[in-house]
């Protein structure tokens, strides 16, 4: 089974490359399931109901979120009606939406996606490690494949989560920094891991935003309005292939056979 995970989709350039390229990539590589982080799709901050629908219509099966999940107020009403749009599970109890989705892929295989958020240099949320335990306990035993999007700032917190869940899920992929890391590998228990997938969006600025405004803010320290950058558009992804014939992990899930970084570009 092949699963494509697309890193943080930033603004209209990020949406454009997904719209232009995803169908061909899925067809050419015989991909069974597509998951993408969409928390920056609305001009870099949040996601709207219209954009969630637009992204799901491009062939994305599940959208994950992060610290920007709530930036657009209208998403609060929409979230309970669209279970394929996740937000981090470890936000305080009582918030709308869910961090866990259980569904069936095009090939008939049952899968789950869990969205978590780190706490280091970020909003102090509930413990993502204990939350992973309680959310994974809800996943039915016939689910073959589980992917975790660990939306976090530091490589250490993400790698710790990878090791914590090794053998219990098929993949732990990091998002949020918008910069791809070169550490993709399969952990000994069969969990594919990468610290950060990188982003899908314009690469002429600073992590997707116009560089002038960001540089100015670093110099003067004043509040600033950021615009989405221009420049070469990249779509950074990972392709995870499961070991369908080999033994399952101790938790009964498919082990990962490989994880590969993919980068697509348009000028
Ligand atoms: Fe983020």
């Amino acid at each position: 089974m092949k699963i494509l995970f697309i890193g943080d989709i930033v603004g209209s350039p990020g949406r454009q490359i997904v719209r232009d390229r995803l169908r061909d990539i899925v067809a050419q590589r015989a991909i069974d399931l597509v998951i993408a982080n969409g928390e920056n799709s609305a001009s870099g901050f949040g996601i709207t109901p219209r954009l969630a629908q637009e992204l799901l219509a491009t062939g994305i099966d599940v959208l994950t979120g992060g610290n920007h999940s709530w930036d657009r107020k209208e998403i609060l009403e929409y979230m309970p009606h669209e279970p394929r749009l996740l937000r981090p599970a470890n936000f305080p109890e009582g918030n709308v939406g869910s961090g866990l989705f259980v569904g069936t892929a095009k090939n008939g295989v049952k899968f789950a996606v869990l969205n978590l958020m780190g706490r280091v240099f970020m909003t102090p949320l509930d413990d993502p490690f204990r939350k992973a335990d309680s959310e994974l306990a809800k996943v039915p035993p016939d689910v073959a494949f589980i992917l975790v999007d660990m939306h976090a700032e530091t490589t250490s917190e993400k790698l710790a989560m990878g090791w914590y869940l090794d053998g219990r899920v098929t993949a732990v992929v990091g998002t949020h920094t918008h910069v791809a890391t070169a550490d993709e590998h399969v952990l000994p228990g069969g969990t594919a891991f990468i610290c950060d997938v990188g982003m899908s969006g314009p690469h002429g600025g600073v992590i997707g935003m116009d560089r002038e405004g960001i540089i100015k803010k670093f110099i003067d320290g004043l509040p600033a309005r950021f615009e989405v950058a221009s420049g070469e558009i990249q779509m950074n992804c990972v392709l995870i292939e499961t070991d369908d014939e080999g033994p399952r992990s101790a938790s009964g899930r498919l082990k990962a056979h490989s994880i590969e970084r993919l980068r697509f570009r348009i000028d």
Side-chain angles (χ1 to χ4, degrees), residues 197-208:
V197 178
M199 69 160 179
S200 296
H203 279 250
V206 178
I207 61 170

Side-chain angles (χ1 to χ4, degrees), residues 5 21 55 65 96 112 116-117 120-121 132 137 140 162 165 183 199 201 218 225 240 254 257-258:
F5 185 95
R21 303 295 297 279
L55 288 170
V96 298
L116 298 166
M117 192 170 124
V120 181
F121 305 137
L165 297 180
D183 62 330
M199 69 160 179
F218 274 116
R225 241 186 106 81
I240 298 151
L254 287 170
H257 172 260
S258 62

Side-chain angles (χ1 to χ4, degrees), residues 28-92:
Q28 284 162 6
R29 294 178 183 258
I31 289 164
D32 302 295
L33 184 71
V34 182
I35 303 159
N37 185 295
E39 67 142 9
N40 304 117
S41 55
S43 306
F45 300 94
I47 185 165
T48 65
R50 182 178 66 77
L51 296 183
Q53 284 163 12
E54 180 190 308
L55 288 170
L56 291 168
T58 64
I60 294 170
D61 296 289
V62 181
L63 284 163
T64 55
N67 51 311
H68 289 296
S69 279
W70 323 92
D71 286 3
R72 301 295 172 128
K73 281 196 300 290
E74 57 269 43
I75 209 66
L76 295 173
E77 268 189 33
Y78 176 76
M79 222 177 240
H81 304 289
E82 182 45 86
R84 294 175 296 168
L85 175 64
L86 298 179
R87 46 76 165 177
N90 54 322
F91 267 88

Side-chain angles (χ1 to χ4, degrees), residues 7 150 152-156 158-159 172-185 193-199 203 234 236-238 259-263:
M150 176 64 174
E153 190 72 55
T154 67
T155 48
S156 59
K158 292 191 252 198
L159 185 52
V172 174
V173 296
T175 58
H176 177 68
T177 71
H178 294 195
V179 178
T181 54
D183 62 330
E184 73 280 7
H185 62 297
F193 176 80
I194 186 167
C195 269
D196 208 293
V197 178
M199 69 160 179
H203 279 250
Q234 290 183 12
N236 285 285
C237 315
V238 288
I259 173 168
E260 179 191 358
R261 268 183 295 136
L262 300 177
R263 176 175 293 165

